[in-house]
Amino acid sequence: MLFNGGTQIDIREYSPLALAFAGDGVLELLVRGRAVREHRLSPGRLHALCVKYVSAKGQALGLAAVEPLLTEREKDVVRRGKNASKATVAKHATAEEYRASTGFEALLGYLYLTGENQRIEELFDAFWQRVTACLEAEKQG
C-alpha cells in the first residue's frame, strides 16, 4: 500500500500548514481513487467530480461529518489547522470554509505522518458519504 507506517511525531514540531500541505495530497489521492472505483467517467468528468470533494466547500462539509468521531488529540490538530494564518483565501469559498478545510487537511496530514492509515480510511469514509449525500441533494434541487 502507498501509505506505509510512519513514526510517532510530536504535533508541536510541525506547523499546521505543513500538516495541511501533506493532508492535501492524501485527500487528493483518496478522492481520485474512490472516484475511479465508483464511477465510469471520462478523465475530464472525473476531474470535475473530484474538484467538488477537494474544494474548500467540500472539505468543510466533510469535516462536519467527521468532527463527532474525533478524539481530543485529533480535535486539537483540526483546531490548530483552522487557526493557522493563511496569506490567501480560496475565491469560491468563505473564510470559514477555508479555515475548516485547512483544519481537515491538517488532520489528514497528521494521521498520514503518524502512520494511522486505518484511521484515515475510517474518517475518509464518513467524509465521502457526507459530501456525496450533499452533492446528490444539490443535484435534486
Side-chain angles (χ1 to χ4, degrees):
M1 181 173 183
L2 181 62
F3 298 126
N4 291 329
T7 59
Q8 285 293 352
I9 60 171
D10 184 346
I11 184 81
R12 295 167 295 201
E13 293 180 19
Y14 290 86
S15 86
L17 295 180
L19 295 173
F21 177 79
D24 178 62
V26 171
L27 182 61
E28 181 77 29
L29 186 57
L30 290 169
V31 167
R32 285 179 179 225
R34 180 78 55 98
V36 167
R37 283 192 304 275
E38 292 189 4
H39 301 280
R40 300 287 184 250
L41 299 170
S42 68
R45 287 186 180 229
L46 280 169
H47 175 73
L49 175 66
C50 290
V51 165
K52 294 177 182 181
Y53 287 85
V54 299
S55 69
K57 182 178 179 178
Q59 289 182 48
L61 287 170
L63 178 60
V66 304
E67 278 183 314
L69 308 173
L70 300 181
T71 65
E72 288 305 315
R73 179 181 52 123
E74 292 166 344
K75 288 177 185 176
D76 185 52
V77 174
V78 170
R79 181 189 53 75
R80 289 184 68 230
K82 284 181 173 182
N83 292 335
S85 62
K86 295 162 286 301
T88 61
V89 174
K91 54 184 163 176
H92 299 295
T94 66
E96 184 178 298
E97 288 170 335
Y98 192 76
R99 283 191 302 272
S101 70
T102 304
F104 185 63
E105 290 172 346
L107 174 61
L108 291 179
Y110 178 75
L111 293 172
Y112 169 72
L113 291 171
T114 57
E116 296 182 53
N117 301 324
Q118 187 172 359
R119 185 64 172 153
I120 291 171
E121 290 177 24
E122 178 182 325
L123 296 176
F124 179 72
D125 285 341
F127 165 88
W128 184 268
Q129 290 173 9
R130 172 68 183 263
V131 177
T132 299
C134 290
L135 291 175
E136 289 297 322
E138 191 177 281
K139 232 191 268 184
Q140 294 176 1

